[in-house]
Amino acid sequence: MIKTRWVRNAAVFGTAVTLSLACVGFAKESTAASFCQETDMAGLSLSLDKYYTENYSAPKEAAPASSSADATASPAPATSAPAEEKEDTQKNTEEARKEETVAKQFRDLGIADVSDYVNIRRKPTTESKILGKLYRGSAAKIIGEKDGWVKIESGSVRGFIRKDLLAIGEKAQKLAGKFGTAYAIVKPGTITLNVRSKKSTKSTIVTQIPEDEKYEVIGESDNWFKVTIDEGTRGYVAKEFIKTRVRFKKAISIAEEKAELRRKAAAEKAEQERLAALEAEKAAAAQSSSSSSSSSSSSSSSSSSSSSSSSNSSSSNSSSSSNHSSSSSNSSSSSNKAPAVPSGTSGSAIANYACKFVGRPYVWGGTSLTNGADCSGFTMSVYAQFGYSLPHSSAAQAGYGRSVSLSSLQPGDLLFYKNGGRIGHVAIYIGGGRVVHASNARDGIKISNYNYRQPACARRIVG
């Protein structure tokens, strides 16, 4: 009996040690920031709404007291173990089995399961200083526990949260489908990967994406992931060329929250100041035109009658020429030609101005730089602040300015991308191989590598 009990305890202890070593190894591999942002999806379903039920269903019923190996062994003595010993053994076995059903990355992960946010405090007490906030659905790595509080790391914040406000372990895993976002990353060595309209290598190529770029997964089948690239741009990529991650939102420190408010206020101020400057430029141009017209009129009236007649004739011809020029200019504008460059405007100035709105929301059909815009609404509004009139359509904007090669890009150039066979997205090149653009509802206005998907063409509006 003693030998049997020793064997059972040794087995339970061995399982516990194995699980502990796995957790320790994982902790060494992950930083607090990466843990919250991108968690390895190996072995997990990417159909996040079916995440738990498909891959980590409820533990199987407890196995019989005797395994198949036991059945071939000599019969055990007729005496039974004490009731307390059986209960302890069953409890330990159940806990070990339950632990095995929880994916490794969720064993020390906590997700804020609250209506808004939970405060992160310096010490495990409600009177302690607030260091940051963990908003609903955001995740944190648990590094300790004390008196109903857990010590966490998330983003740049390290502090204490009440344990009852977090979903931990198995509960966190069940919430992964609700709050986690799955991403597909093109494996290194795959220079470009085709994104297809259907789950077939014979279907139309929507676009191409490079290695190491990250795209949201919105569905999967046996051999394909369905991903979203930009607004309205979706397609299928072959699983064999993809590695996957799940990303959760992370904590925000009080300092970061204040900085975000300052950035928003700065963006609004920049928009107002640029509008005021544009109005001043228009007023100065109008005044200069009026002054020039008045001077010409005064000179004409001081001439002799015959000179006046000649001058009038000349003026008539000049007016006719001017009208023709104006008509030509209007025709040129209506033929997708950019207006004249305002004084002091450069592509770099436009690119720098556009970057002030990184982090602002994406809104389909929107044109507000601060409250939300779509891709062409963003580029249209940025250029409007410098006196340029562009249409609210990426396909139409691709006909403005002049064509430039991708090897000759300069800050301020517009870069266009195709959805299948037609232009469907536009971004502003900012230099260094990067663009700023209104991407999608999840990411808003952001900066990406210019070749995060295959560019179709580029147009230069300035210069």
Side-chain angles (χ1 to χ4, degrees):
M1 180 63 196
I2 294 175
K3 183 176 181 180
T4 301
R5 190 192 327 173
W6 182 86
V7 170
R8 289 176 180 170
N9 291 339
V12 172
F13 176 74
T15 301
V17 169
T18 301
L19 292 172
S20 299
L21 289 174
C23 291
V24 170
F26 177 69
K28 289 181 179 179
E29 295 171 1
S30 303
T31 63
S34 65
F35 188 92
C36 291
Q37 288 182 305
E38 294 183 4
T39 305
D40 193 353
M41 280 290 291
L44 303 181
S45 169
L46 290 176
S47 296
L48 288 177
D49 56 339
K50 300 178 181 178
Y51 182 97
Y52 183 77
T53 56
E54 289 185 355
N55 293 275
Y56 299 96
S57 55
K60 297 179 180 179
E61 294 297 322
S66 297
S67 65
S68 57
D70 292 332
T72 60
S74 300
T79 56
S80 59
E84 290 183 2
E85 180 184 323
K86 285 185 177 181
E87 185 178 346
D88 290 343
T89 301
Q90 184 177 2
K91 182 178 180 181
N92 290 337
T93 303
E94 181 65 25
E95 289 180 354
R97 186 182 294 110
K98 184 177 181 180
E99 183 71 9
E100 289 173 354
T101 67
V102 179
K104 182 172 66 175
Q105 56 264 45
F106 289 97
R107 291 173 189 163
D108 56 355
L109 178 75
I111 297 177
D113 190 15
V114 291
S115 60
D116 191 3
Y117 65 87
V118 56
N119 289 322
I120 304 172
R121 297 182 180 273
R122 185 184 298 277
K123 297 180 180 180
T125 169
T126 54
E127 287 74 36
S128 182
K129 181 179 179 181
I130 297 174
L131 303 178
K133 298 176 180 179
L134 192 69
Y135 280 86
R136 173 177 170 81
S138 298
K141 180 182 179 181
I142 297 172
I143 56 177
E145 183 174 346
K146 181 178 181 181
D147 300 330
W149 293 73
V150 289
K151 190 172 185 180
I152 63 93
E153 288 181 341
S154 181
S156 64
V157 189
R158 184 183 178 119
F160 291 88
I161 291 178
R162 275 174 43 195
K163 185 177 181 180
D164 62 306
L165 299 177
L166 294 177
I168 301 172
E170 183 183 10
K171 291 182 179 179
Q173 182 170 282
K174 288 181 178 180
L175 291 177
K178 186 175 183 179
F179 297 119
T181 301
Y183 285 93
I185 303 172
V186 181
K187 290 180 179 179
T190 306
I191 305 303
T192 57
L193 179 62
N194 293 330
V195 180
R196 297 191 177 269
S197 60
K198 296 180 181 179
K199 294 177 283 187
S200 169
T201 54
K202 296 180 180 179
S203 65
T204 304
I205 297 175
V206 176
T207 188
Q208 292 180 314
I209 54 179
E211 63 180 341
D212 287 336
E213 285 289 343
K214 181 175 62 180
Y215 308 91
E216 183 182 352
V217 175
I218 56 177
E220 72 167 323
S221 61
D222 291 340
N223 301 310
W224 299 84
F225 289 132
K226 187 176 184 180
V227 297
T228 178
I229 310 298
D230 278 316
E231 48 174 339
T233 308
R234 299 176 177 182
Y236 295 88
V237 291
K239 280 186 175 180
E240 61 183 302
F241 302 108
I242 294 293
K243 58 183 179 179
T244 53
R245 296 288 186 272
V246 170
R247 181 178 181 180
F248 293 92
K249 292 181 180 179
K250 56 185 179 179
I252 299 177
S253 69
I254 298 301
E256 288 170 337
E257 188 173 56
K258 291 179 179 178
E260 176 59 24
L261 291 175
R262 288 195 297 269
R263 281 194 295 270
K264 183 177 180 179
E268 292 173 348
K269 183 179 179 181
E271 187 175 20
Q272 293 170 357
E273 289 179 344
R274 186 59 222 171
L275 285 173
L278 182 60
E279 289 301 317
E281 290 175 5
K282 289 180 178 179
Q287 184 177 4
S288 176
S289 177
S290 176
S291 175
S292 176
S293 176
S294 176
S295 175
S296 176
S297 176
S298 175
S299 175
S300 177
S301 63
S302 65
S303 302
S304 63
S305 60
S306 84
S307 294
S308 178
S309 176
S310 175
S311 177
N312 286 339
S313 174
S314 175
S315 176
S316 177
N317 291 335
S318 175
S319 176
S320 174
S321 175
S322 176
N323 289 336
H324 175 74
S325 176
S326 176
S327 175
S328 175
S329 177
N330 290 336
S331 174
S332 175
S333 179
S334 65
S335 299
N336 298 340
K337 300 296 183 180
V341 181
S343 176
T345 296
S346 69
S348 293
I350 291 174
N352 292 336
Y353 179 73
C355 288
K356 294 180 182 293
F357 304 97
V358 170
R360 297 299 94 210
Y362 170 94
V363 175
W364 175 260
T367 59
S368 172
L369 296 175
T370 52
N371 296 323
D374 58 16
C375 71
S376 60
F378 174 64
T379 54
M380 180 186 77
S381 294
V382 166
Y383 271 88
Q385 309 289 41
F386 292 85
Y388 294 90
S389 178
L390 298 177
H392 192 178
S393 163
S394 57
Q397 288 181 14
Y400 277 67
R402 62 185 180 88
S403 177
V404 292
S405 67
L406 297 180
S407 61
S408 303
L409 291 173
Q410 293 181 5
D413 290 348
L414 294 181
L415 213 54
F416 296 89
Y417 305 85
K418 285 186 176 181
N419 295 346
R422 57 176 299 178
I423 299 297
H425 191 69
V426 59
I428 298 175
Y429 187 71
I430 60 174
R434 299 178 301 162
V435 294
V436 59
H437 59 133
S439 179
N440 53 57
R442 184 177 293 277
D443 297 331
I445 297 173
K446 68 176 186 178
I447 292 175
S448 303
N449 290 327
Y450 87 99
N451 64 340
Y452 76 101
R453 56 186 291 198
Q454 184 64 42
C457 63
R459 307 290 293 187
R460 183 161 298 158
I461 306 300
V462 178

